[in-house]
Amino acid sequence: MIVKNGLLFTDKKFEKKDLYVDGDKIVSGCEGEIIDATDCYVIPGLIDIHFHGCVGYDFCDGTHEAIEHMAEYQLQNGITTICPASMTFSEAQLADIFAAAASYKNDKGATLVGINMEGPFISMEKKGAQNGEFIHKPDADMFFRLQEAAGGLIKLCDIAPEVDGAMECIEKIAGNVRVSLAHTAADFDVAEEAFKKGAKHVTHLYNAMPPYSHRAPGVIGAACDNENVMVELICDGVHSHPSTVRTTFKMFGDDRVILISDSMMACGLEDGQYTLGGQAVTVKGNLATLTELGNIAGSVTNLMKCMRKAVQEMGIPLESAVQCATVNPAKAIGVFDKYGSLEAGKQADVVVLDKDLNIKYVIKAGEVVHG
């Protein structure tokens, strides 16, 4: 297969160049079916490392059926690789959820490459839409039991560093998983210590943490000061103001920002009543909130729409937005050797976008699945 005459995303820029695919891999040259990409952008398939659900299903349903439906929806929307997030549940429930992911083999949709363990090692004060009943102090032994149940799939583990036992836990697990600061009331000094202990990531920056201020920079300031730390950003138009998004790119640069959707099961569906982590959620337009408390409860916007909104409504350069939705997440969870760019040897996961960033083709492992 040859994707011809497109503007190919390579090294943070677009250049007019053909893309060659042989079997399921990108190659340096070949012959085959021609896909005309004239006046179109050719980018890697997007990678969402933080979403909970879509089209009426949740990762925490803990079934192959749920994963399959979510993966198929994501693929049709140009997200070819996924690392779904769990919620705060008991260890037994999480073990069952993770075991289901470990045994999932269907390859019809987006490729499942990992799990983002968002709970239960979080702060009660900043639990957001997480269920406080199951919050658990950070526990390395518990993490390793869950990692065993997951067959090693856990790529991110979220921790509130100010909670008792957190620093010890971070030290013990940082060599096995990427530790992310999340749902935390930590100040600058505590966050700084956590990064020194091995944390390298911040979950949905600005949300479920103290705000940045000139006298109390908190987690946000500490993350900015540590150049090996990446931060997640939700560009759905609800979680962060466009000015904040632009400022974040200026603070961190486009090598350290990761676009995520944080979508819940209502993504791809109509307004109405849904659930997240066993709690009732009301969805109206682009906003999902806990029905009882009113807290924002994830997003209802997929990653492709978030990326498009960042470019078209928030003033982020397309090159930066693509970098943050492909290369950076792949590097963060350790799958950049196979996914996240259009280099020869990588899996041929490709999206062709028109000038308005609408999807024309989605290619998964060398096969056209949309377009």
Side-chain angles (χ1 to χ4, degrees):
M1 178 189 299
I2 307 173
V3 183
K4 285 191 73 69
N5 301 319
L7 294 168
L8 197 71
F9 179 75
T10 309
D11 295 329
K12 292 193 185 180
K13 63 182 181 297
F14 287 98
E15 55 183 332
K16 192 170 184 180
K17 190 176 178 182
D18 297 339
L19 180 73
Y20 300 93
V21 175
D22 187 3
D24 64 351
K25 294 290 191 295
I26 296 168
V27 294
S28 56
C30 68
E31 295 182 357
E33 172 193 358
I34 292 176
I35 291 178
D36 184 12
T38 302
D39 295 327
C40 292
Y41 300 107
V42 182
I43 68 172
L46 305 195
I47 301 174
D48 198 347
I49 64 170
H50 188 156
F51 78 102
H52 296 276
C54 49
V55 290
Y57 293 90
D58 191 296
F59 177 62
C60 287
D61 292 344
T63 67
H64 291 173
E65 178 188 11
I67 298 171
E68 179 179 340
H69 281 280
M70 293 190 299
E72 289 179 353
Y73 169 83
Q74 299 285 15
L75 183 59
Q76 290 300 310
N77 285 279
I79 300 109
T80 56
T81 309
I82 55 174
C83 178
S86 59
M87 293 290 288
T88 295
F89 284 110
S90 69
E91 180 178 350
Q93 288 173 291
L94 289 173
D96 287 344
I97 293 162
F98 295 169
S103 61
Y104 177 72
K105 302 299 180 188
N106 195 318
D107 62 357
K108 290 181 181 178
T111 305
L112 176 72
V113 296
I115 295 168
N116 182 337
M117 184 174 150
E118 190 171 1
F121 303 152
I122 60 174
S123 157
M124 184 68 75
E125 181 182 346
K126 294 291 184 179
K127 64 184 176 63
Q130 301 280 340
N131 191 336
E133 180 182 350
F134 297 111
I135 287 175
H136 194 289
K137 74 174 186 177
D139 182 336
D141 291 337
M142 178 177 168
F143 166 79
F144 285 118
R145 290 192 297 269
L146 289 170
Q147 183 69 297
E148 184 176 0
L153 267 182
I154 303 173
K155 305 295 187 186
L156 286 158
C157 179
D158 291 10
I159 292 180
E162 76 278 14
V163 176
D164 287 346
M167 294 300 177
E168 180 183 2
C169 183
I170 291 170
E171 280 190 304
K172 287 183 177 179
I173 71 174
N176 184 271
V177 69
R178 189 175 183 89
V179 176
S180 183
L181 304 193
H183 291 273
T184 172
D187 62 15
F188 177 90
D189 291 337
V190 171
E192 181 75 10
E193 182 182 355
F195 293 134
K196 288 179 180 176
K197 299 285 187 185
K200 294 181 180 179
H201 201 94
V202 179
T203 296
H204 45 49
L205 192 72
Y206 305 111
N207 295 280
M209 65 187 63
Y212 178 93
S213 77
H214 61 303
R215 292 195 183 95
V219 173
I220 300 160
C224 189
D225 280 354
N226 286 268
E227 294 187 359
N228 67 335
V229 173
M230 287 185 173
V231 297
E232 299 175 356
L233 194 61
I234 309 169
C235 295
D236 63 343
V238 172
H239 283 78
S240 297
H241 190 280
S243 177
T244 302
V245 171
R246 292 189 292 272
T247 299
T248 303
F249 273 81
K250 291 173 184 175
M251 288 174 66
F252 289 89
D254 57 15
D255 284 324
R256 297 174 57 198
V257 174
I258 296 172
L259 298 187
I260 62 164
S261 70
D262 198 17
S263 68
M264 48 84 69
M265 65 163 55
C267 180
L269 299 177
E270 302 296 322
D271 291 359
Q273 294 297 125
Y274 298 92
T275 61
L276 179 66
Q279 300 177 97
V281 174
T282 300
V283 173
K284 289 184 179 179
N286 207 28
L287 179 64
T289 56
L290 291 182
T291 305
E292 243 183 74
L293 302 175
N295 302 28
I296 292 177
S299 88
V300 292
T301 307
N302 67 52
L303 182 58
M304 182 62 76
K305 289 183 178 179
C306 286
M307 188 185 80
R308 190 180 298 130
K309 189 177 286 286
V311 174
Q312 296 177 340
E313 300 180 25
M314 299 180 177
I316 302 304
L318 178 59
E319 295 85 347
S320 294
V322 173
Q323 172 84 12
C324 296
T326 59
V327 174
N328 296 355
K331 288 181 175 179
I333 63 170
V335 298
F336 190 61
D337 59 327
K338 294 181 180 179
Y339 311 99
S341 73
L342 300 179
E343 299 168 82
K346 299 282 184 81
Q347 180 161 301
D349 293 345
V350 185
V351 178
V352 179
L353 302 173
D354 68 18
K355 285 299 180 112
D356 295 319
L357 307 186
N358 298 308
I359 294 173
K360 287 197 70 175
Y361 298 97
V362 177
I363 299 167
K364 165 75 186 306
E367 293 187 13
V368 177
V369 295
H370 176 82

